[in-house]
């Protein structure tokens, strides 16, 4: 049991779980737009997310990322470097448009963790900005890249899907901010710090309603989209209404982050059956 727990903790700490959640969202986009999943794009997204998240979590200062004394963090570092190699391989298999998109989102991610100037704050420390940067980058990777890969136009339906994905990631981040309320620096000005936990949950529920209703503004709606988004919205509301569960060790870090994975599997399963 101890060995299984160690493997599971590494799975979470090395950002493998969050990387699966991101490619699950990209998979949903492929389904919604009726295009084929691109293994090269999914491979690039998976490994680049691992590299990006591990850098933000463990290496916001370069020397900390290169010089690691802790054996456990050393294993995560080695895994991150291997993932970087795979990310580069898949990157060069992709179209030039995705290269430019990656550079833009990569710079935004870097500024999130690393100050532009020696005495400047990074974007992560600018009050209230953190969750919007993360949501924008996730939406870029999971909506923009699949659309560019399929060489489809950035039309009205694209922007609706992009907006919904942006909102979805914002909603998924809220349980993390509620959980970390007691540890986060007050200068971060997170929503729970500004509004309080109860009002943050109300905002999350309101965003969930908007997320669902935006579906009806699309020009072309996938046959199962309304039902699938309704199921997702109900799950998000139930999560936001949870209280004691958010304090449990794995509820947020595993179950909340697994919501996009379950959503994709539900989407894929229903399509296969019907």
């Amino acid at each position: 049991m101890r060995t299984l727990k160690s493997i599971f903790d590494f799975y979470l700490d090395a950002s493998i779980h969050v990387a699966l959640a991101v490619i699950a969202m990209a998979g949903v986009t492929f389904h919604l737009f009726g295009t084929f999943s691109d293994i090269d794009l999914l491979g690039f997204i998976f490994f680049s997310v691992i590299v990006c998240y591990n850098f933000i979590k463990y290496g916001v200062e370069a020397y900390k990322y290169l010089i690691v004394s802790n054996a456990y963090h050393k294993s995560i570092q080695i895994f991150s470097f291997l993932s970087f190699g795979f990310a580069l391989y898949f990157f060069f298999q992709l179209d030039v448009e995705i290269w430019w998109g990656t550079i833009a989102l990569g710079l935004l991610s870097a500024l999130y963790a690393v100050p532009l100037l020696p005495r400047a704050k990074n974007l992560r420390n600018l009050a209230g900005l953190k969750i919007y940067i993360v949501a924008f980058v996730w939406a870029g990777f999971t909506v923009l890249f699949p659309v560019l890969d399929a060489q489809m136009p950035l039309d009205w339906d694209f922007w609706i899907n992009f907006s919904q994905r942006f909102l979805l990631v914002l909603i998924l981040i809220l349980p993390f901010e509620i959980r970390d309320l007691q540890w986060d620096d007050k200068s971060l000005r997170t929503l729970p710090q500004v509004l309080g936990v109860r009002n943050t949950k109300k905002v999350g529920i309101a965003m969930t309603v908007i997320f669902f209703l935006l579906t009806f503004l699309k020009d072309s709606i996938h046959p199962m989209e309304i039902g699938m988004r309704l199921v997702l919205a109900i799950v998000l509301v139930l999560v936001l209404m949870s209280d004691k569960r958010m304090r449990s060790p794995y509820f947020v870090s595993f179950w909340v982050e697994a919501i996009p994975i379950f959503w994709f599997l539900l989407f894929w399963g229903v399509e296969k059956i019907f």
Side-chain angles (χ1 to χ4, degrees), residues 7-17 57 250 253-254:
I7 294 172
F8 183 67
D9 287 339
F10 182 85
Y11 168 77
L12 294 178
D13 295 338
S15 304
I16 300 172
H17 190 54
K57 286 194 293 186
Y250 295 116
S253 59
F254 178 76

Side-chain angles (χ1 to χ4, degrees), residues 5 34 42 48-49 56 68 81 91 94 104 110 119 144-145 148 150 161 212 220 224 255:
K5 185 179 183 302
L42 293 178
S48 60
V49 167
I56 290 172
V68 181
F81 283 134
F91 176 77
L94 301 173
R119 294 184 179 181
L144 176 62
F145 285 4
L148 290 178
N161 276 282
F212 175 68
S220 177
M224 297 183 302
W255 292 110

Side-chain angles (χ1 to χ4, degrees), residues 113-233:
V114 181
L116 185 61
L117 298 173
R119 294 184 179 181
K121 290 184 177 181
N122 53 32
L123 295 181
R124 186 180 189 176
N125 290 324
L126 293 180
L129 193 60
K130 180 183 73 171
I131 62 174
Y132 305 106
I133 295 170
V134 174
F136 187 83
V137 172
W138 274 49
F141 268 82
T142 64
V143 179
L144 176 62
F145 285 4
V147 169
L148 290 178
D149 185 71
Q151 298 181 341
M152 299 179 69
L154 304 184
D155 56 11
W156 174 256
D157 282 358
F158 161 78
W159 289 110
I160 293 295
N161 276 282
F162 189 92
S163 301
Q164 286 182 301
R165 195 61 50 84
F166 180 82
L167 283 172
L168 173 59
V169 179
L170 285 181
I171 297 163
L172 290 172
I173 291 174
L174 293 182
F176 288 87
E177 297 214 322
I178 292 171
R179 182 198 64 182
D180 297 339
L181 178 61
Q182 57 184 320
W183 299 294
D184 279 340
D185 191 303
K186 292 183 179 179
S187 63
L188 290 176
R189 302 284 292 171
T190 63
L191 282 179
Q193 289 174 337
V194 174
L195 302 177
V197 173
R198 180 175 296 181
N199 287 332
T200 298
K201 290 182 178 183
K202 290 179 180 178
V203 169
I205 292 171
M207 287 194 294
T208 303
V209 173
I210 296 171
F211 161 80
F212 175 68
L213 293 179
L214 280 173
T215 306
F216 298 97
L217 295 180
K218 295 179 64 177
D219 292 330
S220 177
I221 301 177
H222 189 283
M224 297 183 302
E225 188 171 357
I226 295 176
M228 293 296 99
R229 289 198 187 277
L230 179 60
V231 170
L232 178 59

